[in-house]
């Protein structure tokens, strides 16, 4: 079974631009979550989508948005990029395992804002 | 809000020896789930082990085991017979009950270096 895939793997953008990142979950997984990882703030939850609906949202400004398609693929968008948005963005695909959910992470997209 | 604390920023261990990573958390929930994730230098986050709060028995996965103390809100990870491939960042994570969705709250991480 293929794992979680994220595209692109690396991205360089300029302040003020916008960016779209893509995540394809493991086949059959309906939950997709996004996380931002930085050296200063660590791993922070952005949002989660389940069956095309946003089910949870973290404490990020409205510049960060996402969506999920009917095939469970998800995209996240960051508008008006700031230098502080430079980070590794991780996508996680979730599945029911017994009475809990397990989340499997993709390799991440490294975003650099200059 | 839930918080997760990993008090050991870095640990080193000799190959074949045992190392224990600590994790404490704060929550008012009764039903929740705890995880340990490993992030090697290649950056792919890997699920190591998980524990449901309602289960008293500590989870074990091969060389990895946990000591779950619910009353103390403690969830430590023991790596036995350490191997060079265990070198990585290890993150402790908390998730509320499944009905609340799949949001993980992570600790700050512990860097583990296995020395030959």
């Amino acid at each position: 079974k293929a794992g979680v895939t994220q595209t692109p793997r690396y991205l360089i953008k300029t302040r003020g631009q916008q960016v779209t990142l893509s995540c394809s979950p493991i086949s059959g997984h309906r939950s997709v979550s996004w996380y931002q990882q930085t050296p200063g703030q660590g791993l922070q939850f952005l949002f989660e989508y389940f069956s095309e609906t946003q089910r949870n949202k973290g404490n990020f400004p409205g510049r960060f948005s996402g969506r999920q398609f009917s095939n469970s693929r998800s995209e996240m968008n960051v508008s008006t990029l700031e230098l502080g948005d430079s980070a590794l963005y991780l996508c996680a695909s979730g599945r029911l395992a017994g009475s809990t959910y397990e989340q499997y992470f993709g390799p991440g997209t490294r975003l650099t804002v200059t | 809000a839930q918080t997760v604390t990993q008090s050991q920023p870095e640990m080193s261990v000799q190959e074949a020896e045992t190392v224990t990573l600590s994790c404490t958390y704060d929550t008012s929930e009764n039903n929740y789930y705890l995880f340990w994730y490993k992030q090697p230098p290649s950056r792919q986050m890997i699920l190591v082990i998980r524990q449901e709060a309602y289960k008293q028995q500590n989870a074990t996965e091969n060389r990895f085991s946990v000591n779950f103390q619910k009353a103390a809100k403690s969830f430590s990870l023991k790596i036995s017979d350490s191997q060079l491939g265990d070198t990585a960042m290890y993150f402790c994570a908390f998730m509320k009950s499944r009905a609340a969705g799949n949001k993980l709250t992570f600790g700050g991480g512990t860097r583990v270096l296995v020395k030959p």
Side-chain angles (χ1 to χ4, degrees):
Chain A
K1 217 175 200 182
V4 181
T5 58
Q6 291 188 245
T7 57
R9 293 291 311 277
Y10 302 91
L11 206 49
I12 300 175
K13 289 287 188 178
T14 304
R15 263 185 307 177
Q17 288 185 316
Q18 75 165 16
V19 67
T20 298
L21 312 181
S22 180
C23 171
S24 292
I26 294 170
S27 177
H29 290 196
R30 294 161 64 190
S31 170
V32 174
S33 301
W34 289 89
Y35 295 84
Q36 182 195 65
Q37 186 175 24
T38 60
Q41 299 297 318
L43 281 152
Q44 293 186 287
F45 172 79
L46 280 155
F47 28 65
E48 181 218 358
Y49 286 87
F50 183 84
S51 294
E52 302 179 64
T53 300
Q54 189 180 84
R55 188 160 64 171
N56 274 297
K57 190 177 189 310
N59 296 323
F60 278 81
R63 300 185 297 106
F64 292 81
S65 62
R67 59 177 175 169
Q68 186 179 34
F69 302 94
S70 58
N71 61 358
S72 293
R73 189 177 72 84
S74 177
E75 288 181 347
M76 69 163 280
N77 184 76
V78 188
S79 62
T80 320
L81 283 165
E82 301 177 359
L83 294 179
D85 297 333
S86 293
L88 181 67
Y89 289 89
L90 294 169
C91 162
S93 161
R95 72 156 186 148
L96 181 63
S99 59
T100 188
Y101 260 91
E102 292 178 339
Q103 294 204 71
Y104 297 93
F105 284 83
T109 294
R110 168 72 64 186
L111 171 65
T112 302
V113 181
T114 61
Chain B
Q2 285 71 35
T3 58
V4 179
T5 302
Q6 294 178 248
S7 59
Q8 305 147 314
E10 274 191 36
M11 297 191 76
S12 64
V13 59
Q14 291 296 131
E15 200 174 5
E17 293 189 346
T18 296
V19 62
T20 300
L21 313 183
S22 66
C23 172
T24 58
Y25 57 94
D26 186 27
T27 184
S28 58
E29 303 286 327
N30 188 47
N31 294 320
Y32 51 88
Y33 307 94
L34 297 162
F35 304 87
W36 278 98
Y37 281 90
K38 168 186 176 181
Q39 189 176 41
S42 66
R43 293 288 186 177
Q44 184 92 34
M45 192 86 77
I46 302 165
L47 174 65
V48 174
I49 200 166
R50 64 180 170 94
Q51 174 84 41
E52 292 84 357
Y54 67 86
K55 289 186 178 178
Q56 292 186 332
Q57 186 173 7
N58 290 323
T60 299
E61 286 288 340
N62 301 312
R63 298 182 294 107
F64 298 89
S65 60
V66 299
N67 183 3
F68 173 49
Q69 302 290 327
K70 190 173 183 180
K73 296 180 183 175
S74 169
F75 183 60
S76 62
L77 174 71
K78 184 170 78 172
I79 307 174
S80 303
D81 186 24
S82 296
Q83 300 175 0
L84 296 178
D86 295 333
T87 292
M89 281 292 289
Y90 286 81
F91 293 96
C92 177
F94 172 100
M95 187 174 81
K96 289 201 287 189
S97 64
R98 186 161 58 88
N102 307 323
K103 171 186 174 181
L104 289 170
T105 301
F106 286 92
T110 297
R111 186 178 305 279
V112 172
L113 174 63
V114 180
K115 298 179 178 179

